[in-house]
Amino acid sequence: MDDMGLRRRAGRHRSRAVSAAGLAFLLAATCATTATAAAPPTATRQPPPQPPPRLKEAQVDNAVAKLDGIVRDGMRKTGVPGVAVAVVHKDRVVYLKGFGERQVGKPGAVEPDTVFQLASLSKPLASTVVADAVGDKAVTWDEPVTEHLPGFALKDRWVTDHVTVADLFSHRSGLPDHAGDLLEDLGYDRNYILGHLRLEPLTPFRASYAYTNYGVTAAAEAVADAKDTTWEKLAEDSLYGPAGMNSTSSRFADYEKAANRAVTHVETGDGTWAAKYVRDADAQSPAGGVSSTAEDMARWVRLQLANGKLDGKQIIPAAPLERTHLPEIVSQPPAAPAGRTGFYGLGWNVSYDDQGRLRLSHSGAFALGANTNVTLLPSEQLGIVVLTNGEPVGLADSIALNFFDTAQYGRPTADWLSLIGKVYEQEEAELKSPTDYAEPPPAPVPARPEGAYLGTYRSDYYGPLRVTAAGGALTLQLGPDRMRFRLTHYDGDTFSFRTVGENAVGLSGVTFSGDLDGKAAQVRVESLDRNGLGTFTRD
């Protein structure tokens, strides 16, 4: 698979503005679309649910033996401070280890029970929780979410009435990529964000794929409502508690108070890493707000590979859990007739390799400092979880890819760390403005008097935008807590400001337009206008 092939698969599948699937198809990049042919079903003989195992015990042992070197080499090349890894094979945890530091410059080594933020690795956990509710017959995968969330609406009334739990968990509702995430960056809560998805433009229902944290969150809220509880309590009662995942939570407060937790880190630009940001993902908890340990995640992987059973007890009903592993929509069409297709199931990336084996995977990434991966080969009863406390540079994904390559072929088949790192870099670059606001034009047109810009503007989606003046500079205020952004003049009626948060894209433009008695009538915020909702009109 060449670099361009990886880029095509990476697409926009982020778990934030980087991550929200955290490069959903990096692992699918190694899998072919043609499965091994099975005998046609008859009354007396049904095809097996999985092809027979092809890996020998010695091959898995060899890959496990080389994991220490794979992890340490990746950490050395990237500088990511901390990593925890778990491997499960045939219902046994055959590898469980921590590496590096929980926080740069402070005492505390990463251990198997160190708590990490999972980012979008939360999604297959969430679909596991929903599978339990489906098994209880509280909901079905295919019932409309409005049966339990009567106030929920999308832009099209027919879609609103028909969009199901499965539609939202498989990202085929028609909502645009990462719909609602920018509202979260401005400080809006879950209720506000879900209530404003109705303003998002839609693509064809069930015929288009776009990764949405808040689509998943809406579906999860509907399921929690059907069970007459909160999502956080439902996850605890139906999965974390029964599975013995005692350090796992869907509440940021539990992560924050954990003494043995890995703090998020970002690169500083000079080759070092720093703990600069805190990422509270409670608003999108079902999609990105879980925290857990490698030890706990190994228990969940055992449950997944054993069709919902753990330590001899059926924790999650097998049939609804199996549904989460099936393709629901094509998420990445092949680039050529013999090319590879990526699918999305219910909280899982679903693909098939050269041997016809099902491969399940999901990545998670916070640009503010976390990157995770889980990859399963159910027919081999083999799975790996990789948790890191650094922003996405390809380490978590490459460790998983190198491990499975080593098990299958005895060695990695590509320099995955370099290839995946370039994909993340390209994706970040594509999000930035095409205008370099740090370099004004040689002869910029002067701005109007500042009084022309002062005042309150409003968007049905983003709420009020206030422009004030202090100390000779204009300031933008946005969100429920009036986040403040200093405006710098660029040219004419265009200014710039530095974006912040999970979806930060560096400097972005703010352009005023129109005239109402000497005052600007509208203002467009470039970084908020990805879906055409970033224009505010003067009150």
Side-chain angles (χ1 to χ4, degrees):
M1 176 57 60
D2 63 10
D3 194 12
M4 287 305 295
L6 276 174
R7 287 194 180 103
R8 285 192 294 270
R9 272 172 178 71
R12 294 180 300 161
H13 305 119
R14 300 154 283 144
S15 170
R16 71 114 193 175
V18 169
S19 107
L23 299 189
F25 303 104
L26 290 174
L27 298 181
T30 61
C31 302
T33 58
T34 303
T36 301
T42 68
T44 58
R45 183 170 182 267
Q46 296 292 330
Q50 301 290 343
R54 296 174 181 269
L55 293 178
K56 297 178 180 178
E57 196 80 29
Q59 291 176 280
V60 176
D61 290 345
N62 177 53
V64 168
K66 291 181 177 178
L67 256 178
D68 276 19
I70 290 171
V71 175
R72 295 189 192 282
D73 183 58
M75 293 179 71
R76 178 182 58 81
K77 290 177 177 177
T78 62
V80 170
V83 178
V85 181
V87 176
V88 170
H89 187 222
K90 295 182 178 178
D91 202 35
R92 293 188 304 113
V93 180
V94 296
Y95 187 92
L96 184 62
K97 192 173 288 191
F99 301 81
E101 304 169 283
R102 300 198 304 256
Q103 182 171 353
V104 168
K106 292 191 176 182
V110 171
E111 300 167 321
D113 61 347
T114 297
V115 179
F116 287 77
Q117 291 183 284
L118 300 188
S120 279
L121 187 43
S122 304
K123 291 179 177 70
L125 285 163
S127 66
T128 309
V129 173
V130 176
D132 186 68
V134 172
D136 286 347
K137 302 192 184 307
V139 294
T140 70
W141 286 112
D142 299 311
E143 67 185 56
V145 295
T146 52
E147 291 189 13
H148 304 289
L149 285 183
F152 179 75
L154 298 179
K155 197 172 184 69
D156 183 278
R157 176 62 182 272
W158 192 92
V159 175
T160 296
D161 292 341
H162 291 83
V163 67
T164 66
V165 174
D167 291 328
L168 291 168
F169 260 90
S170 59
H171 309 299
R172 64 186 186 201
S173 67
L175 281 168
D177 182 69
H178 285 75
D181 285 9
L182 294 173
L183 290 173
E184 183 185 351
D185 273 3
L186 294 177
Y188 286 106
D189 62 16
R190 187 184 306 177
N191 286 338
Y192 182 96
I193 297 169
L194 295 183
H196 286 73
L197 294 181
R198 59 186 171 79
L199 299 175
E200 292 274 9
L202 295 177
T203 54
F205 180 47
R206 294 179 183 162
S208 52
Y209 170 90
Y211 190 89
T212 58
N213 291 307
Y214 282 97
V216 170
T217 300
E221 284 285 282
V223 174
D225 184 81
K227 295 284 286 185
D228 196 26
T229 186
T230 65
W231 173 259
E232 293 75 13
K233 186 74 163 54
L234 179 63
E236 180 181 323
D237 290 347
S238 60
L239 177 59
Y240 309 154
M245 299 168 66
N246 299 321
S247 297
T248 304
S249 175
S250 292
R251 301 178 182 89
F252 176 75
D254 291 335
Y255 162 78
E256 196 170 37
K257 73 184 182 185
N260 184 5
R261 77 178 186 277
V263 176
T264 55
H265 294 79
V266 295
E267 290 185 283
T268 60
D270 60 0
T272 62
W273 290 72
K276 293 180 64 175
Y277 305 110
V278 174
R279 175 71 166 105
D280 180 346
D282 272 355
Q284 56 164 274
S285 176
V290 179
S291 58
S292 187
T293 67
E295 191 170 41
D296 276 9
M297 292 298 286
R299 294 187 64 79
W300 173 72
V301 168
R302 288 175 58 205
L303 179 151
Q304 286 285 335
L305 293 173
N307 299 317
K309 189 174 289 187
L310 184 63
D311 296 332
K313 183 179 179 181
Q314 194 73 42
I315 304 295
I316 305 294
L321 183 64
E322 185 179 61
R323 168 75 184 271
T324 68
H325 301 166
L326 299 176
E328 295 282 336
I329 190 167
V330 171
S331 49
Q332 188 69 29
R340 303 177 181 197
T341 302
F343 303 93
Y344 203 89
L346 300 174
W348 284 102
N349 299 302
V350 181
S351 57
Y352 300 90
D353 69 9
D354 293 325
Q355 288 75 38
R357 296 175 300 190
L358 170 69
R359 179 176 289 203
L360 302 170
S361 66
H362 215 290
S363 297
F366 286 156
L368 299 184
N371 190 201
T372 60
N373 178 275
V374 60
T375 306
L376 310 180
L377 273 180
S379 67
E380 303 291 349
Q381 298 179 58
L382 181 64
I384 187 171
V385 171
V386 185
L387 311 179
T388 81
N389 64 349
E391 67 173 295
V393 291
L395 181 58
D397 306 289
S398 67
I399 290 171
L401 281 164
N402 285 332
F403 172 74
F404 278 99
D405 268 5
T406 303
Q408 186 69 46
Y409 306 109
R411 60 180 177 79
T413 60
D415 182 358
W416 292 115
L417 181 59
S418 176
L419 290 175
I420 298 167
K422 289 177 182 177
V423 173
Y424 279 114
E425 290 173 5
Q426 178 188 355
E427 200 173 56
E428 284 293 281
E430 288 174 350
L431 293 171
K432 295 183 181 298
S433 172
T435 302
D436 183 2
Y437 291 101
E439 296 291 337
V445 176
R448 290 188 254 178
E450 67 177 22
Y453 306 119
L454 301 181
T456 299
Y457 305 76
R458 191 169 301 276
S459 156
D460 289 341
Y461 186 75
Y462 290 107
L465 177 154
R466 298 174 180 87
V467 180
T468 60
L474 295 177
T475 298
L476 201 68
Q477 297 179 14
L478 284 164
D481 299 324
R482 296 193 178 188
M483 296 175 66
R484 298 172 67 88
F485 304 92
R486 182 186 176 93
L487 295 181
T488 299
H489 183 250
Y490 176 73
D491 185 32
D493 282 336
T494 297
F495 298 75
S496 70
F497 75 103
R498 184 161 297 278
T499 56
V500 299
E502 180 63 27
N503 297 277
V505 291
L507 292 176
S508 184
V510 175
T511 301
F512 296 86
S513 62
D515 189 289
L516 287 175
D517 299 325
K519 296 184 177 182
Q522 290 185 323
V523 56
R524 175 183 174 267
V525 181
E526 181 184 19
S527 62
L528 301 182
D529 202 35
R530 294 175 194 166
N531 298 329
L533 298 170
T535 297
F536 298 72
T537 302
R538 183 181 288 276
D539 276 354

